[in-house]
């Protein structure tokens, strides 16, 4: 059977939640992935940007850490907010709509079961699905194989996907992402003003008597002023900072950043220097924060280029037996294995998807391509394809350049919608189910009746 009601798609990110009907072109709701508690009524959880700003005395708390939901007591309020506001701020009944959520490749079995339980037992949705974020992002671009580099707010991740299968052993992530850059920006801005209050956005600047909690102040400064600073002032240098001669030769014209209360801050070399920590995090210490020492075989301690190359190296190890990797002398015995990985490497590098809100920073795509290009032949010396002069790296481009911002900001939500829409297929005969519906049910969804009959084993098998 096909379903007349469109699926509801909710994409919980570290900074914002995107929600809407799968039949829509863009999410109808984009709201903060934070919440607060009403002190007078501890059972009242406040979700939504307007609601949060109307209660500045409340502490602002998070639901997502390391790219995963960790606050299961209150994530249900985040999802319920979507149902209450999806239809032009009118509530809809979860029982009448399939639900699809996104998840990261490193999501735990415990989390999968918790999400499914809330969906079926609390919301009582008829059908439920979890789809991996990088897979949805790649599918949205019409590809089934590629290397997805997602520069998000809380997490930077690199995920190889081959024929629609996420290569989990080669999927790596780190916390050197948008929030990490925000800390560097906040550190710089704080040195230019007497106190954090000078960075508060309107109307809080104009209402000094308002009681603002510490976490509310931090949220407003970071998510309003610092975000504006990042995307209006910063760009990625063509030359890395560890190339002093080239970096010093950059002709950087000073800009002025306007603070909410009128003061301007000159921004010169910081326009490029403040994004360098993405590539060399340990070279840019932060006050009152101890960064882990970079370790070669721990990608999460390294910068962006190393994270990408480590992912490809791990993929090689998962495809080619270790004995062959260690014994390169017997070329005839090894040639077929290396030829296979050479083809895979070629396919991934010519289908490189750089996405996420952080990928909107000017200059970041050519910098990633250049840094990977210059290092690949050192990591993979046995492959002709990675020798200088033979290498070609191509990023996946959106169908329309006008959709660039939307594809990068909402790519996982849009891709999930592509998959969720398969449920609404109509067959050529009224007595036959459309193939797309069968595929969706078999591969992406669990029905409430199957959940009640087969339980946890079905969930872990379906969403592995």
């Amino acid at each position: 059977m096909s379903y007349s009601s469109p699926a509801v798609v909710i994409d919980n990110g570290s900074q914002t939640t995107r929600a809407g009907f799968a039949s829509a072109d863009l999410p109808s709701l984009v709201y903060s992935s934070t919440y607060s508690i009403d002190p007078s009524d501890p059972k009242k959880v406040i979700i939504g940007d307007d609601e949060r700003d109307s209660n500045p005395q409340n502490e602002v708390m998070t639901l997502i850490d390391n790219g995963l939901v960790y606050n299961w007591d209150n994530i249900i309020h985040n999802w319920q907010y979507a149902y209450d506001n999806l239809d032009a701020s009118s509530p809809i009944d979860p029982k009448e709509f399939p639900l699809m959520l996104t998840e990261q490749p490193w999501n735990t079995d415990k989390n999968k079961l918790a999400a499914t339980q809330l969906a079926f037992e609390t919301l009582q949705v008829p059908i439920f699905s979890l789809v991996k974020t990088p897979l949805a992002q790649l599918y949205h671009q019409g590809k089934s194989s590629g290397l997805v580099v997602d520069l998000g707010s809380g997490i930077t991740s690199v995920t190889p996907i081959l024929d629609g299968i996420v290569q989990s052993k080669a999927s790596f992530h780190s916390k050197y992402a948008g929030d990490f850059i925000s800390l560097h920006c906040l550190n710089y801005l704080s040195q230019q003003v007497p106190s954090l209050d000078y960075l508060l956005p309107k109307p809080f600047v104009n209402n000094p008597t308002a009681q603002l909690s510490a976490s509310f102040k931090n949220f407003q400064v970071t998510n309003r002023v610092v975000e504006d600073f990042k995307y209006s002032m910063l760009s990625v240098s063509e030359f890395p900072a560890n190339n002093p001669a080239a970096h010093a030769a950059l002709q950087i014209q000073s800009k002025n950043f306007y603070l909410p209360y009128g003061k301007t801050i000159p921004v010169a070399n910081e326009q490029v220097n403040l994004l360098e920590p993405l590539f060399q995090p340990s070279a840019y210490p932060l006050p009152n924060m101890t960064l882990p020492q970079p370790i070669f075989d721990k990608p999460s301690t390294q910068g962006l280029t190393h994270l990408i190359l480590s992912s490809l190296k791990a993929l090689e190890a998962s495809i080619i037996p270790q004995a062959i990797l260690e014994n390169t002398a017997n070329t005839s015995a090894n040639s077929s294995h290396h030829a296979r990985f050479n083809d895979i490497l070629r396919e991934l590098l010519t289908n490189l998807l750089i996405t996420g809100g952080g990928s909107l920073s000017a200059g970041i795509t050519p910098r990633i391509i250049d840094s990977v290009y210059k290092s690949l032949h050192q990591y993979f010396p046995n492959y002709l394809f990675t020798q200088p002069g033979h290498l070609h790296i191509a990023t996946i481009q959106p169908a329309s350049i006008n959709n660039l911002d939307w594809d990068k900001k909402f790519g996982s939500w849009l891709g999930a919608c592509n998959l969720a829409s398969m449920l609404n297929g109509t067959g050529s005969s009224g007595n036959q189910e459309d193939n797309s519906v069968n595929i969706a049910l078999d591969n992406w969804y669990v029905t409430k009746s199957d959940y009640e009959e087969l339980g946890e084993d079905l969930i872990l098998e379906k969403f592995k």
Side-chain angles (χ1 to χ4, degrees), residues 19 31 119 127 188 191 221 268 284 327 341 343 368 375 382 393 435:
Y31 54 98
I127 312 171
Y188 169 71
Q191 296 171 10
V221 169
Y284 297 88
N327 179 21
F341 183 71
D343 290 340
I368 290 173
S375 302
N382 298 321
I393 304 176
N435 284 337

Side-chain angles (χ1 to χ4, degrees), residues 214-434:
S215 58
F216 182 86
K217 285 184 180 181
N218 185 68
F219 176 87
Q220 294 293 340
V221 169
T222 302
N223 289 272
R224 299 288 177 83
V225 178
V226 172
E227 285 295 300
D228 179 36
F229 176 82
K230 280 165 54 176
Y231 292 110
S232 63
M233 293 286 111
L234 305 188
S235 60
V236 178
S237 169
E238 178 184 356
F239 305 104
N242 61 4
N243 185 343
H247 203 69
L250 292 173
Q251 299 296 318
I252 301 175
Q253 184 176 358
S254 181
K255 297 180 182 178
N256 287 324
F257 178 69
Y258 289 84
L259 294 176
Y261 67 98
K263 177 180 170 62
T264 61
I265 294 177
V267 187
N269 292 340
E270 292 80 10
Q271 294 174 43
V272 295
N273 291 341
L274 285 172
L275 284 173
E276 282 299 307
L278 279 177
F279 297 90
Q280 303 175 76
S282 62
Y284 297 88
L286 283 164
N288 303 318
M289 177 178 289
T290 302
L291 299 179
Q293 287 298 311
I295 300 174
F296 185 82
D297 58 357
K298 289 189 68 174
S300 63
T301 66
Q302 299 278 354
L304 179 55
T305 303
H306 186 84
L307 197 69
I308 295 171
L309 294 167
S310 295
S311 173
L312 294 174
K313 199 67 180 173
L315 184 63
E316 179 192 33
S318 69
I319 289 175
I320 301 179
Q322 188 63 31
I324 293 179
L325 286 175
E326 294 173 353
N327 179 21
T328 58
N330 189 351
T331 55
S332 60
N334 302 342
S335 60
S336 63
H337 292 279
H338 286 296
R340 181 188 174 208
F341 183 71
N342 194 83
D343 290 340
I344 290 172
L345 197 58
R346 180 191 301 272
E347 184 170 26
L348 293 179
L349 291 174
T350 53
N351 288 285
L352 176 63
L353 177 59
I354 301 174
T355 188
S359 66
L360 291 170
S361 297
I364 196 163
T365 294
R367 172 68 177 276
I368 290 173
I369 291 175
D370 184 63
S371 60
V372 170
Y373 174 87
K374 290 178 178 177
S375 302
L376 260 172
H377 67 279
Q378 299 173 0
Y379 278 72
F380 302 97
N382 298 321
Y383 300 97
L384 177 66
F385 180 58
T386 60
Q387 299 306 307
H390 295 274
L391 179 60
H392 177 64
I393 304 176
T395 54
I396 298 174
Q397 299 297 325
S400 169
I401 196 65
N402 295 327
N403 294 330
L404 180 63
D405 285 9
W406 302 137
D407 279 1
K408 290 182 178 292
K409 287 182 178 180
F410 306 140
S412 54
W413 184 88
L414 292 167
C417 287
N418 297 153
L419 295 170
S421 295
M422 296 171 69
L423 280 177
N424 301 115
T426 55
S428 57
S429 168
N431 298 321
Q432 293 182 336
E433 293 180 332
D434 183 69

Side-chain angles (χ1 to χ4, degrees), residues 24-305:
D25 294 329
L26 289 172
S28 54
L29 293 174
V30 179
Y31 54 98
S32 174
S33 297
T34 59
Y35 72 98
S36 62
I37 302 292
D38 187 342
S40 63
D41 183 4
K43 294 183 179 181
K44 183 180 179 182
V45 177
I46 299 172
I47 303 286
D49 298 328
D50 291 341
E51 293 82 353
R52 179 201 58 242
D53 290 353
S54 298
N55 295 274
Q57 73 283 357
N58 295 348
E59 298 292 343
V60 178
M61 293 166 280
T62 61
L63 296 163
I64 312 290
D65 182 51
N66 198 36
L68 307 180
V69 175
Y70 77 94
N71 191 323
W72 289 100
D73 290 335
N74 291 316
I75 191 66
I76 189 64
H77 299 285
N78 176 282
W79 300 345
Q80 187 63 58
Y81 179 87
Y83 283 101
D84 290 343
N85 294 275
L86 270 183
D87 190 12
S89 299
S90 298
I92 61 173
D93 188 350
K95 297 177 184 178
E96 298 177 0
F97 298 87
L99 172 63
M100 176 175 278
L101 301 177
T102 58
E103 63 167 354
Q104 296 291 357
W106 58 93
N107 198 18
T108 65
D109 288 348
K110 181 179 178 181
N111 281 6
K112 296 174 194 286
L113 294 173
T116 306
Q117 182 179 11
L118 287 175
F120 282 130
E121 298 181 18
T122 303
L123 295 175
Q124 298 188 37
V125 301
I127 312 171
F128 176 67
S129 177
L130 284 170
V131 60
K132 290 179 172 52
T133 294
L135 186 64
Q137 291 166 326
L138 193 62
Y139 274 5
H140 176 60
Q141 301 299 337
K143 304 284 186 177
S144 60
S145 295
L147 185 65
V148 181
V149 179
D150 187 357
L151 306 176
S153 177
I155 292 293
T156 290
S157 65
V158 181
T159 309
I161 299 175
L162 298 174
D163 296 325
I165 299 175
V166 172
Q167 305 300 304
S168 299
K169 292 182 179 179
S171 176
F172 295 133
H173 63 280
S174 81
K175 290 190 175 182
Y176 297 132
D179 290 345
F180 181 63
I181 297 301
S182 293
L183 290 175
H184 284 276
C185 294
L186 183 59
N187 180 51
Y188 169 71
L189 292 173
S190 298
Q191 296 171 10
Q192 314 301 315
V193 296
S195 72
L196 187 67
D197 289 351
Y198 283 79
L199 299 177
L200 280 169
K202 298 178 181 180
F204 309 108
V205 170
N206 297 329
N207 187 12
T209 61
Q211 296 296 316
L212 310 180
S213 70
S215 58
F216 182 86
K217 285 184 180 181
N218 185 68
F219 176 87
Q220 294 293 340
V221 169
T222 302
N223 289 272
R224 299 288 177 83
V225 178
V226 172
E227 285 295 300
D228 179 36
F229 176 82
K230 280 165 54 176
Y231 292 110
S232 63
M233 293 286 111
L234 305 188
S235 60
V236 178
S237 169
E238 178 184 356
F239 305 104
N242 61 4
N243 185 343
H247 203 69
L250 292 173
Q251 299 296 318
I252 301 175
Q253 184 176 358
S254 181
K255 297 180 182 178
N256 287 324
F257 178 69
Y258 289 84
L259 294 176
Y261 67 98
K263 177 180 170 62
T264 61
I265 294 177
V267 187
N269 292 340
E270 292 80 10
Q271 294 174 43
V272 295
N273 291 341
L274 285 172
L275 284 173
E276 282 299 307
L278 279 177
F279 297 90
Q280 303 175 76
S282 62
Y284 297 88
L286 283 164
N288 303 318
M289 177 178 289
T290 302
L291 299 179
Q293 287 298 311
I295 300 174
F296 185 82
D297 58 357
K298 289 189 68 174
S300 63
T301 66
Q302 299 278 354
L304 179 55
T305 303

